Amino acid sequence: MAKKKSKNCINKMNRQKATTVRRPSSAAKSSGHAPPGDFIALGSKGQTSDSKAPSNLLKPAASGLTSERKREASAALASTSGLPGLSKRPKLSSTTPLTALGRLAEAAVAEKRAISPSIKEPSVVPIEVPPASLLDDIEASEQEGNDDRIEGVLCGAVKQLKMNRAKPDPTLYLSLMYLAKMKPNIFATEGVIEALCSLLRRDATINFKAKGNSLVSVLACNLLMAAYEEDENWPEIFVKVYIEDSLGERIWVDSPHCKTFVENIQTAFCTKMPPKSMAVLGEAGRVAGDLSAGIAACNSPHPSLTEEEDSQSELLIAEEKLSPEEEGQLMPRYEELADGVEEYVLDMLRDQLNRRQPMDNVSRNLLRLLTATCGYKEVRLMAVQRLEMWLQNPKLTRPAQDLLMSVCMNCNTHGSEDMEVISNLIKIRLKPKVLLNHYMLAVRELLNAHKDNLGTVVKFVIFNELSNARNPNNMQILYTVLQHSSELAPKFLAMVFQDLLINKEDYLRASRALLREIIKQTKHEINFQAFCLGLMQERKEAQYTDLEFKHKRFMKS
């Protein structure tokens, strides 16, 4: 009996323990509703709620119900781990994630490869030596006749410059300058050229604080200029890095310290570049007789210019004059590769112009590149079709003015493309006085570019005046033409009126009204004697030999 009583007491105590354990667990469960169905809540909330529970609840002897639910949850997790949608993604690499700067750098590198995929990376294995021993190493290798080591050491020096663009070692770049002065031929190898051209390309992996330091790029330009100063045939890679920097940040293309190197590259485009003083003349509102007269007129103070602006214009003109040494270094460098270079440049420009982007979002640098490549007739035709819109865009006005001047100055073939260029130029409509004055100055340069442009301009202006889409600036253009060529312009004007008189359509009434308007607007400039002699001049063309047309012309006149 005593044993029986002791067993009953022990069972009663165990039941009391069990009840004391269950109460807090039911209270803890009542704090949140159980999810419906077979859905199992996972995540940080469940973990934090478990961690906040008292320590005695975490014991395995807490209750059979909680342990059973835990087993069900673990079994559900194990079953769902096989599903492809809920499985953990494998780690691709152990590297740290890219920052915003790193992503921008990768994007810039990808864009650069898309712009110039044909530019090779350096192929020579670089040999790095301390900057202080660079000259001795080159001297020793030269005495041994080890040209491969010389090439490798120079590529190693370029690699050191590339790694320290922001602050290059003074000993290193001074040693390279000394070698370029004393032994320029050692830089004229394919491997060294590729390495130096890699310095002329924008390295997107460096931080943007080093963006403004152009010392390394300027050094590379001058090393290449020293190596190829006496060579008449330059490699095509120079044009490719020029195009890339022209469309990019123009780190060395616009640098005055690289002027000789850049101008020698630009000989590939056969472009007559407009001087910087042209913009000063256009902004001052002057219409000079021709380029030389305009520059001469700029030497005297103008009422609309302050003393500071006038001195600035004189400084610009002084900068345009090349020294005798620079003139001796400037010569055509791409006569043998002219076709390949032209094809490459045209492909690049077409790609830039045909991109899907708002027309007012065109880069100023693209207009500057078009200005430098207007020696190609296809470039002039591509540019003139968009010029009016670019000129009216306040963000692009200045480079668009330079582009207009370059198009007019290089319109010197009088072929079918240039005829279409002149036709598009005549249709440009401009209202601001500054732009209109610059436009008239460009028309004068167009007349100087080729002797046959005068008659073409007069013809297109008259036909445009008689059309339904007449340009309100026609009379001003005609005034500029008559002022430019007082003897020849009236003769061409008379020839246009002769063409109108023998035309199958009746232009007699329109021609009379137009002639009255021309005399009214240009009575101080038109040479009436030359105009009348032109009207009476006999024409030898086929359409003038027919007696019917002669009679028609006589009756109308």
Side-chain angles (χ1 to χ4, degrees):
M1 287 293 292
K3 287 182 180 181
K4 204 169 191 180
K5 284 181 182 179
S6 62
K7 281 183 181 180
N8 291 335
C9 290
I10 291 170
N11 290 332
K12 190 182 290 185
M13 289 174 65
N14 288 336
R15 281 197 299 270
Q16 288 176 356
K17 261 186 195 178
T19 54
T20 56
V21 170
R22 286 193 191 100
R23 280 194 198 106
S25 65
S26 62
K29 287 173 186 175
S30 64
S31 61
H33 296 286
D38 295 333
F39 183 83
I40 298 169
L42 302 175
S44 59
K45 288 187 178 179
Q47 293 173 359
T48 54
S49 63
D50 289 345
S51 63
K52 288 180 181 178
S55 60
N56 58 350
L57 297 180
L58 300 177
K59 293 179 180 180
S63 69
L65 184 62
T66 55
S67 60
E68 187 178 349
R69 287 190 176 179
K70 286 180 182 178
R71 283 196 299 271
E72 289 176 359
S74 61
L77 282 173
S79 63
T80 56
S81 62
L83 297 177
L86 297 177
S87 61
K88 290 184 179 180
R89 294 180 180 177
K91 292 183 179 180
L92 297 178
S93 63
S94 60
T95 57
T96 57
L98 285 175
T99 61
L101 183 62
R103 286 193 293 271
L104 286 174
E106 283 196 351
V109 170
E111 184 179 359
K112 186 176 293 295
R113 287 172 181 168
I115 289 176
S116 53
S118 56
I119 298 179
K120 296 180 181 179
E121 293 295 333
S123 56
V124 178
V125 178
I127 302 173
E128 296 187 36
V129 298
S133 60
L134 176 65
L135 294 177
D136 295 336
D137 200 303
I138 293 290
E139 188 71 29
S141 301
E142 194 174 21
Q143 290 179 357
E144 295 173 2
N146 193 348
D147 295 336
D148 293 337
R149 178 168 179 81
I150 294 175
E151 190 175 12
V153 169
L154 290 176
C155 290
V158 171
K159 182 180 178 182
Q160 294 180 48
L161 289 173
K162 194 173 185 179
M163 293 171 61
N164 300 286
R165 278 180 180 266
K167 195 175 181 181
D169 188 277
T171 306
L172 181 60
Y173 65 73
L174 288 174
S175 300
L176 290 173
M177 290 169 63
Y178 174 80
L179 288 172
K181 185 73 174 176
M182 303 305 295
K183 303 172 182 179
N185 293 331
I186 63 175
F187 293 93
T189 64
E190 185 177 356
V192 177
I193 292 168
E194 291 176 358
L196 289 174
C197 286
S198 70
L199 295 179
L200 299 181
R201 304 172 65 188
R202 172 64 176 163
D203 189 359
T205 59
I206 62 175
N207 59 11
F208 293 110
K209 292 182 180 179
K211 177 181 175 181
N213 191 353
S214 60
L215 178 60
V216 172
S217 300
V218 170
L219 174 64
C221 288
N222 285 277
L223 292 178
L224 291 171
M225 184 65 209
Y228 279 88
E229 181 179 356
E230 305 296 333
D231 199 336
E232 295 182 357
N233 300 312
W234 281 18
E236 190 177 356
I237 190 173
F238 292 174
V239 176
K240 294 179 179 179
V241 293
Y242 170 85
I243 297 291
E244 183 177 315
D245 192 56
S246 296
L247 292 173
E249 298 172 0
R250 303 183 72 90
I251 295 174
W252 54 273
V253 165
D254 289 338
S255 174
H257 305 293
C258 307
K259 182 181 177 182
T260 307
F261 181 66
V262 170
E263 287 181 348
N264 276 278
I265 295 175
Q266 288 175 345
T267 59
F269 315 134
C270 304
T271 303
K272 186 178 179 182
M273 292 293 290
K276 294 179 182 179
S277 59
M278 284 300 220
V280 178
L281 290 173
E283 290 175 2
R286 277 175 271 181
V287 183
D290 53 15
L291 179 59
S292 58
I295 294 176
C298 195
N299 292 330
S300 59
H302 193 271
S304 62
L305 286 177
T306 62
E307 292 182 3
E308 183 179 355
E309 290 172 337
D310 189 65
S311 61
Q312 185 180 3
S313 64
E314 291 179 1
L315 179 61
L316 287 174
I317 295 163
E319 286 178 355
E320 290 159 15
K321 297 178 181 177
L322 296 175
S323 64
E325 183 180 357
E326 290 176 337
E327 288 181 355
Q329 293 174 335
L330 189 61
M331 64 181 74
R333 305 284 187 173
Y334 288 94
E335 290 181 346
E336 293 186 0
L337 299 176
D339 295 337
V341 169
E342 182 177 359
E343 184 180 357
Y344 176 79
V345 172
L346 292 178
D347 288 343
M348 293 294 298
L349 291 176
R350 288 194 194 100
D351 179 64
Q352 292 290 322
L353 291 171
N354 294 334
R355 286 184 176 181
R356 293 184 178 180
Q357 59 182 354
M359 296 305 295
D360 58 347
N361 198 27
V362 177
S363 169
R364 296 165 62 93
N365 292 343
L366 176 58
L367 269 64
R368 293 190 179 103
L369 179 59
L370 288 169
T371 302
T373 55
C374 273
Y376 298 140
K377 54 189 178 182
E378 290 85 357
V379 174
R380 296 195 291 273
L381 191 56
M382 285 190 291
V384 76
Q385 295 171 357
R386 301 168 174 86
L387 252 178
E388 183 177 354
M389 178 180 53
W390 290 339
L391 285 167
Q392 293 175 353
N393 187 346
K395 297 178 182 178
L396 304 174
T397 300
R398 186 62 177 270
Q401 285 179 320
D402 293 338
L403 178 56
L404 171 63
M405 185 63 67
S406 182
V407 169
C408 292
M409 291 176 65
N410 290 279
C411 199
N412 52 13
T413 64
H414 204 259
S416 58
E417 291 86 357
D418 278 348
M419 297 275 282
E420 190 173 350
V421 169
I422 295 174
S423 176
N424 283 277
L425 284 171
I426 297 302
K427 296 174 184 176
I428 293 178
R429 302 185 181 194
L430 299 172
K431 289 183 179 180
K433 187 177 180 181
V434 173
L435 291 179
L436 196 56
N437 288 334
H438 185 85
Y439 176 65
M440 296 305 161
L441 191 63
V443 169
R444 292 176 177 275
E445 293 306 315
L446 176 64
L447 300 177
N448 292 333
H450 194 277
K451 61 183 181 63
D452 293 333
N453 288 351
L454 176 61
T456 305
V457 169
V458 172
K459 180 179 179 180
F460 285 159
V461 168
I462 298 300
F463 277 58
N464 182 270
E465 184 67 18
L466 294 173
S467 67
N468 295 327
R470 60 179 295 273
N471 190 339
N473 301 325
N474 282 335
M475 286 300 135
Q476 196 161 351
I477 297 174
L478 201 57
Y479 183 89
T480 303
V481 171
L482 292 169
Q483 193 180 38
H484 177 271
S485 305
S486 57
E487 294 294 331
L488 289 176
K491 178 184 175 182
F492 285 111
L493 184 62
M495 292 173 67
V496 175
F497 275 101
Q498 286 179 340
D499 295 337
L500 291 173
L501 289 175
I502 68 165
N503 200 293
K504 292 182 179 180
E505 298 180 12
D506 191 5
Y507 280 99
L508 179 59
R509 182 177 297 178
S511 301
R512 286 175 177 171
L514 177 58
L515 183 58
R516 290 193 196 99
E517 184 66 21
I518 291 173
I519 293 173
K520 179 181 176 181
Q521 296 289 338
T522 63
K523 59 184 177 182
H524 297 295
E525 296 297 332
I526 189 170
N527 187 335
F528 291 103
Q529 184 179 1
F531 178 71
C532 294
L533 287 174
L535 283 175
M536 294 183 288
Q537 191 73 27
E538 185 178 0
R539 303 281 291 273
K540 302 293 185 181
E541 291 87 348
Q543 62 266 31
Y544 287 92
T545 57
D546 194 347
L547 292 176
E548 181 183 351
F549 283 124
K550 287 186 177 181
H551 179 70
K552 185 178 179 182
R553 174 188 170 191
F554 177 76
M555 294 300 293
K556 285 184 176 181
S557 57

